[in-house]
Amino acid sequence: MSIKDNYKAIQDQLPAGVQLVAVSKTHPVSAIQEVYDLGQRVFGENKVQELMEKSPLLPDDIQWHLIGHLQTNKVKYIASFIDTIQSVDSEKLLTEINKESGKNNRIIKVLLQVKIAAEESKFGLEIPEAKELFQHYTDGKFPNIEITGLMGMATFTDDEQQVKQEFLTLKALFDELNQLKTLNTLSMGMSDDFPVAIECGANSVRVGSAIFGRRDYSK
Ligand SMILES: *Cc1c(COP(=O)(O)O)cnc(C)c1O
């Protein structure tokens, strides 16, 4: 299937009100432009360097989301243009984003990345840490950012029950925090598990390979 067919097929599976973040990491600017020309405006990248190389070559009205682990010392490189940082996993990082956001006279949107997977390797805040950080935010500690929601990745497994459990755990936290201050984005689900994520309450999905094809890391 072509990128165009893939994109249309994904769109057909998304209920109204579910945002699609097209994950373009490792794929060339030409492929991103192709999806842009089909109407997509929200794209996700996971590396600062790659984002900085590609973004100047593409239209200005793309809303870039950073979805990969972000080092504190790299926030300054993206603070002037990033729309949303989905991968906030420490208070130190949030403090830095708040600072750089202020310097740029912007309000950067962020999602707290919460660790819901059983795997040791996945980044993210533990649930109590996420609650504490959100509390500091509602107390007014980070005036230059807006926490718009939560992001999580399920375990990479065929066990759909487990995946569902993990997504529902994040949905429950989302509902709890949403009572303290309104949130609008629950980002869960990738190419292989986005239908389950939507069933569990996701209203934003991050889809890469199902649109752009498999990633080739050898290049
Ligand atoms: C790469 C990536 C995705 C997209 O993965 P696909 O399986 O290609 O859809 C989604 N979220 C994050 C955090 C990623 O790093």
Side-chain angles (χ1 to χ4, degrees):
M1 292 232 288
S2 66
I3 287 182
K4 183 178 176 181
D5 292 338
N6 290 341
Y7 180 68
K8 299 255 183 250
I10 294 293
Q11 278 202 318
D12 285 347
Q13 294 174 69
L14 298 182
V18 175
Q19 176 193 52
L20 172 64
V21 178
V23 176
S24 49
K25 63 190 188 198
T26 78
H27 296 288
V29 164
S30 57
I32 301 174
Q33 184 69 51
E34 192 178 339
V35 176
Y36 176 93
D37 291 339
L38 297 169
Q40 180 68 22
R41 291 296 178 269
V42 185
F43 289 87
E45 288 280 341
N46 71 334
K47 292 205 167 80
V48 167
Q49 183 68 35
E50 190 175 342
L51 179 56
M52 285 170 63
E53 283 167 16
K54 288 169 166 179
S55 57
L57 307 173
L58 285 154
D60 280 343
D61 64 342
I62 287 184
Q63 295 158 40
W64 292 104
H65 286 215
L66 190 80
I67 60 170
H69 182 65
L70 176 58
Q71 286 174 286
T72 309
N73 62 1
K74 292 193 175 159
V75 175
K76 57 179 178 286
Y77 300 124
I78 58 171
S80 66
F81 70 92
I82 196 79
D83 180 79
T84 302
I85 299 174
Q86 293 210 3
S87 42
V88 171
D89 58 3
S90 73
E91 177 134 13
K92 184 169 160 240
L93 178 58
L94 197 56
T95 302
E96 180 68 13
I97 297 169
N98 182 64
K99 189 180 102 194
E100 289 297 326
S101 199
K103 273 193 200 165
N104 285 278
N105 292 309
R106 299 187 64 218
I107 301 285
I108 295 176
K109 290 177 270 185
V110 311
L111 305 183
L112 300 182
Q113 181 175 355
V114 180
K115 188 174 181 316
I116 50 172
E119 291 145 325
E120 217 19 80
S121 62
K122 301 245 156 110
F123 286 106
L125 297 153
E126 300 291 342
I127 287 175
E129 288 179 307
K131 286 186 189 174
E132 194 187 333
L133 195 45
F134 195 70
Q135 186 68 56
H136 294 168
Y137 166 67
T138 58
D139 288 346
K141 195 171 169 191
F142 307 105
N144 306 320
I145 55 124
E146 184 184 357
I147 298 182
T148 56
L150 303 178
M151 186 269 258
M153 286 164 91
T155 303
F156 185 69
T157 171
D158 288 336
D159 183 348
E160 196 177 306
Q161 277 314 315
Q162 183 179 352
V163 170
K164 220 176 236 184
Q165 268 315 314
E166 292 172 357
F167 285 149
L168 288 174
T169 300
L170 194 59
K171 172 69 161 82
L173 179 64
F174 179 85
D175 289 342
E176 187 182 330
L177 299 184
N178 195 29
Q179 308 245 307
L180 301 173
K181 192 169 172 39
T182 305
L183 296 175
N184 48 43
T185 305
L186 181 55
S187 171
M188 333 187 271
M190 320 192 345
S191 292
D192 289 335
D193 58 13
F194 75 85
V196 184
I198 291 168
E199 231 180 90
C200 295
N203 63 10
S204 183
V205 296
R206 309 175 308 272
V207 178
S209 35
I211 297 172
F212 293 100
R214 280 183 51 194
R215 285 180 289 277
D216 180 358
Y217 287 104
S218 67
K219 281 186 284 193

PDB file of all heavy atoms in Angstrom, residues 29 44 48 56 82 85 97-98 102 111 120 127 138 160 167 180 194 198 205:
ATOM      1  N   VAL A  29      11.808  13.897   4.689  1.00  0.00           N
ATOM      2  CA  VAL A  29      10.977  15.079   4.547  1.00  0.00           C
ATOM      3  C   VAL A  29       9.946  14.901   3.423  1.00  0.00           C
ATOM      4  O   VAL A  29       8.799  15.339   3.533  1.00  0.00           O
ATOM      5  CB  VAL A  29      11.908  16.288   4.283  1.00  0.00           C
ATOM      6  CG1 VAL A  29      11.162  17.468   3.741  1.00  0.00           C
ATOM      7  CG2 VAL A  29      12.650  16.660   5.569  1.00  0.00           C
ATOM      8  N   GLY A  44       4.829  13.755  14.808  1.00  0.00           N
ATOM      9  CA  GLY A  44       5.631  13.447  15.991  1.00  0.00           C
ATOM     10  C   GLY A  44       7.014  12.959  15.611  1.00  0.00           C
ATOM     11  O   GLY A  44       7.181  12.163  14.682  1.00  0.00           O
ATOM     12  N   VAL A  48      15.582  15.209  19.089  1.00  0.00           N
ATOM     13  CA  VAL A  48      15.736  16.654  18.901  1.00  0.00           C
ATOM     14  C   VAL A  48      16.530  16.958  17.624  1.00  0.00           C
ATOM     15  O   VAL A  48      16.142  17.799  16.818  1.00  0.00           O
ATOM     16  CB  VAL A  48      16.420  17.274  20.148  1.00  0.00           C
ATOM     17  CG1 VAL A  48      16.875  18.697  19.866  1.00  0.00           C
ATOM     18  CG2 VAL A  48      15.471  17.237  21.331  1.00  0.00           C
ATOM     19  N   PRO A  56      12.813  22.838   9.521  1.00  0.00           N
ATOM     20  CA  PRO A  56      12.956  24.037   8.673  1.00  0.00           C
ATOM     21  C   PRO A  56      12.643  23.772   7.203  1.00  0.00           C
ATOM     22  O   PRO A  56      12.407  24.706   6.444  1.00  0.00           O
ATOM     23  CB  PRO A  56      14.445  24.408   8.822  1.00  0.00           C
ATOM     24  CG  PRO A  56      14.944  23.639   9.977  1.00  0.00           C
ATOM     25  CD  PRO A  56      14.111  22.413  10.080  1.00  0.00           C
ATOM     26  N   ILE A  82       8.335  24.155  19.217  1.00  0.00           N
ATOM     27  CA  ILE A  82       7.643  22.884  19.496  1.00  0.00           C
ATOM     28  C   ILE A  82       6.214  23.177  19.969  1.00  0.00           C
ATOM     29  O   ILE A  82       5.981  24.106  20.740  1.00  0.00           O
ATOM     30  CB  ILE A  82       8.425  22.054  20.552  1.00  0.00           C
ATOM     31  CG1 ILE A  82       7.973  20.592  20.567  1.00  0.00           C
ATOM     32  CG2 ILE A  82       8.306  22.647  21.959  1.00  0.00           C
ATOM     33  CD1 ILE A  82       8.552  19.761  19.463  1.00  0.00           C
ATOM     34  N   ILE A  85       5.250  18.825  23.998  1.00  0.00           N
ATOM     35  CA  ILE A  85       6.244  17.832  24.417  1.00  0.00           C
ATOM     36  C   ILE A  85       5.480  16.744  25.172  1.00  0.00           C
ATOM     37  O   ILE A  85       4.950  16.982  26.257  1.00  0.00           O
ATOM     38  CB  ILE A  85       7.344  18.480  25.287  1.00  0.00           C
ATOM     39  CG1 ILE A  85       8.078  19.560  24.472  1.00  0.00           C
ATOM     40  CG2 ILE A  85       8.324  17.412  25.792  1.00  0.00           C
ATOM     41  CD1 ILE A  85       9.097  20.373  25.270  1.00  0.00           C
ATOM     42  N   ILE A  97      11.654  23.232  30.796  1.00  0.00           N
ATOM     43  CA  ILE A  97      10.702  23.600  29.730  1.00  0.00           C
ATOM     44  C   ILE A  97       9.993  24.896  30.110  1.00  0.00           C
ATOM     45  O   ILE A  97       9.820  25.799  29.286  1.00  0.00           O
ATOM     46  CB  ILE A  97       9.681  22.466  29.477  1.00  0.00           C
ATOM     47  CG1 ILE A  97      10.373  21.197  28.971  1.00  0.00           C
ATOM     48  CG2 ILE A  97       8.617  22.915  28.470  1.00  0.00           C
ATOM     49  CD1 ILE A  97       9.478  19.959  28.938  1.00  0.00           C
ATOM     50  N   ASN A  98       9.613  25.004  31.378  1.00  0.00           N
ATOM     51  CA  ASN A  98       8.948  26.222  31.859  1.00  0.00           C
ATOM     52  C   ASN A  98       9.844  27.440  31.658  1.00  0.00           C
ATOM     53  O   ASN A  98       9.401  28.501  31.210  1.00  0.00           O
ATOM     54  CB  ASN A  98       8.583  26.046  33.331  1.00  0.00           C
ATOM     55  CG  ASN A  98       7.850  27.247  33.879  1.00  0.00           C
ATOM     56  OD1 ASN A  98       6.747  27.561  33.443  1.00  0.00           O
ATOM     57  ND2 ASN A  98       8.472  27.953  34.800  1.00  0.00           N
ATOM     58  N   GLY A 102       9.200  30.453  28.844  1.00  0.00           N
ATOM     59  CA  GLY A 102       9.136  31.852  29.269  1.00  0.00           C
ATOM     60  C   GLY A 102      10.067  32.745  28.461  1.00  0.00           C
ATOM     61  O   GLY A 102       9.691  33.820  28.012  1.00  0.00           O
ATOM     62  N   LEU A 111       2.637  16.919  27.898  1.00  0.00           N
ATOM     63  CA  LEU A 111       1.938  15.770  28.483  1.00  0.00           C
ATOM     64  C   LEU A 111       2.894  15.132  29.466  1.00  0.00           C
ATOM     65  O   LEU A 111       4.101  15.073  29.220  1.00  0.00           O
ATOM     66  CB  LEU A 111       1.564  14.738  27.401  1.00  0.00           C
ATOM     67  CG  LEU A 111       0.751  15.215  26.196  1.00  0.00           C
ATOM     68  CD1 LEU A 111       0.421  14.011  25.297  1.00  0.00           C
ATOM     69  CD2 LEU A 111      -0.534  15.903  26.621  1.00  0.00           C
ATOM     70  N   GLU A 120      10.942  -2.944  31.925  1.00  0.00           N
ATOM     71  CA  GLU A 120      11.856  -2.108  32.685  1.00  0.00           C
ATOM     72  C   GLU A 120      12.304  -0.896  31.866  1.00  0.00           C
ATOM     73  O   GLU A 120      12.566   0.166  32.391  1.00  0.00           O
ATOM     74  CB  GLU A 120      13.074  -2.967  33.072  1.00  0.00           C
ATOM     75  CG  GLU A 120      13.666  -2.708  34.446  1.00  0.00           C
ATOM     76  CD  GLU A 120      12.757  -1.993  35.436  1.00  0.00           C
ATOM     77  OE1 GLU A 120      11.880  -2.625  36.056  1.00  0.00           O
ATOM     78  OE2 GLU A 120      12.949  -0.778  35.587  1.00  0.00           O
ATOM     79  N   ILE A 127       3.156   6.523  38.877  1.00  0.00           N
ATOM     80  CA  ILE A 127       1.883   7.215  39.113  1.00  0.00           C
ATOM     81  C   ILE A 127       1.947   8.222  40.291  1.00  0.00           C
ATOM     82  O   ILE A 127       1.512   9.367  40.137  1.00  0.00           O
ATOM     83  CB  ILE A 127       0.726   6.200  39.258  1.00  0.00           C
ATOM     84  CG1 ILE A 127       0.434   5.647  37.857  1.00  0.00           C
ATOM     85  CG2 ILE A 127      -0.516   6.841  39.870  1.00  0.00           C
ATOM     86  CD1 ILE A 127      -0.586   4.541  37.811  1.00  0.00           C
ATOM     87  N   THR A 138      -0.600  22.587  39.503  1.00  0.00           N
ATOM     88  CA  THR A 138      -1.845  23.271  39.883  1.00  0.00           C
ATOM     89  C   THR A 138      -1.585  24.307  40.985  1.00  0.00           C
ATOM     90  O   THR A 138      -2.328  25.272  41.119  1.00  0.00           O
ATOM     91  CB  THR A 138      -2.953  22.279  40.338  1.00  0.00           C
ATOM     92  OG1 THR A 138      -2.470  21.502  41.440  1.00  0.00           O
ATOM     93  CG2 THR A 138      -3.360  21.355  39.216  1.00  0.00           C
ATOM     94  N   GLU A 160      -3.643  -9.043  24.820  1.00  0.00           N
ATOM     95  CA  GLU A 160      -4.482  -7.853  24.726  1.00  0.00           C
ATOM     96  C   GLU A 160      -5.065  -7.450  26.076  1.00  0.00           C
ATOM     97  O   GLU A 160      -5.302  -6.268  26.335  1.00  0.00           O
ATOM     98  CB  GLU A 160      -5.603  -8.096  23.707  1.00  0.00           C
ATOM     99  CG  GLU A 160      -6.263  -6.789  23.290  1.00  0.00           C
ATOM    100  CD  GLU A 160      -7.341  -6.977  22.233  1.00  0.00           C
ATOM    101  OE1 GLU A 160      -7.037  -7.579  21.187  1.00  0.00           O
ATOM    102  OE2 GLU A 160      -8.471  -6.509  22.456  1.00  0.00           O
ATOM    103  N   PHE A 167      -3.662   0.442  29.699  1.00  0.00           N
ATOM    104  CA  PHE A 167      -4.323   1.649  29.189  1.00  0.00           C
ATOM    105  C   PHE A 167      -5.394   2.144  30.177  1.00  0.00           C
ATOM    106  O   PHE A 167      -5.538   3.350  30.403  1.00  0.00           O
ATOM    107  CB  PHE A 167      -4.962   1.382  27.820  1.00  0.00           C
ATOM    108  CG  PHE A 167      -3.981   1.312  26.674  1.00  0.00           C
ATOM    109  CD1 PHE A 167      -4.237   0.500  25.567  1.00  0.00           C
ATOM    110  CD2 PHE A 167      -2.817   2.078  26.678  1.00  0.00           C
ATOM    111  CE1 PHE A 167      -3.351   0.446  24.498  1.00  0.00           C
ATOM    112  CE2 PHE A 167      -1.924   2.026  25.603  1.00  0.00           C
ATOM    113  CZ  PHE A 167      -2.201   1.209  24.510  1.00  0.00           C
ATOM    114  N   LEU A 180      -8.990  17.808  39.181  1.00  0.00           N
ATOM    115  CA  LEU A 180      -8.248  18.902  39.825  1.00  0.00           C
ATOM    116  C   LEU A 180      -8.105  20.090  38.883  1.00  0.00           C
ATOM    117  O   LEU A 180      -8.183  21.240  39.290  1.00  0.00           O
ATOM    118  CB  LEU A 180      -6.848  18.425  40.235  1.00  0.00           C
ATOM    119  CG  LEU A 180      -6.776  17.244  41.200  1.00  0.00           C
ATOM    120  CD1 LEU A 180      -5.337  16.779  41.378  1.00  0.00           C
ATOM    121  CD2 LEU A 180      -7.382  17.638  42.542  1.00  0.00           C
ATOM    122  N   PHE A 194      -3.533   0.906  18.648  1.00  0.00           N
ATOM    123  CA  PHE A 194      -4.375   2.104  18.801  1.00  0.00           C
ATOM    124  C   PHE A 194      -5.878   1.803  18.911  1.00  0.00           C
ATOM    125  O   PHE A 194      -6.578   2.505  19.648  1.00  0.00           O
ATOM    126  CB  PHE A 194      -4.064   3.173  17.728  1.00  0.00           C
ATOM    127  CG  PHE A 194      -4.588   2.897  16.359  1.00  0.00           C
ATOM    128  CD1 PHE A 194      -5.883   3.236  16.004  1.00  0.00           C
ATOM    129  CD2 PHE A 194      -3.772   2.289  15.404  1.00  0.00           C
ATOM    130  CE1 PHE A 194      -6.357   2.974  14.726  1.00  0.00           C
ATOM    131  CE2 PHE A 194      -4.247   2.023  14.133  1.00  0.00           C
ATOM    132  CZ  PHE A 194      -5.540   2.356  13.792  1.00  0.00           C
ATOM    133  N   ILE A 198      -8.064   3.344  21.981  1.00  0.00           N
ATOM    134  CA  ILE A 198      -9.265   4.177  21.806  1.00  0.00           C
ATOM    135  C   ILE A 198     -10.432   3.600  22.608  1.00  0.00           C
ATOM    136  O   ILE A 198     -11.166   4.323  23.281  1.00  0.00           O
ATOM    137  CB  ILE A 198      -9.612   4.315  20.307  1.00  0.00           C
ATOM    138  CG1 ILE A 198      -8.532   5.162  19.603  1.00  0.00           C
ATOM    139  CG2 ILE A 198     -10.988   4.962  20.121  1.00  0.00           C
ATOM    140  CD1 ILE A 198      -8.602   5.132  18.089  1.00  0.00           C
ATOM    141  N   VAL A 205      -3.749   9.439  19.272  1.00  0.00           N
ATOM    142  CA  VAL A 205      -2.953   8.239  19.011  1.00  0.00           C
ATOM    143  C   VAL A 205      -1.712   8.629  18.214  1.00  0.00           C
ATOM    144  O   VAL A 205      -1.729   9.603  17.464  1.00  0.00           O
ATOM    145  CB  VAL A 205      -3.767   7.152  18.262  1.00  0.00           C
ATOM    146  CG1 VAL A 205      -4.919   6.650  19.125  1.00  0.00           C
ATOM    147  CG2 VAL A 205      -4.298   7.664  16.921  1.00  0.00           C
TER     148      VAL A 205
END
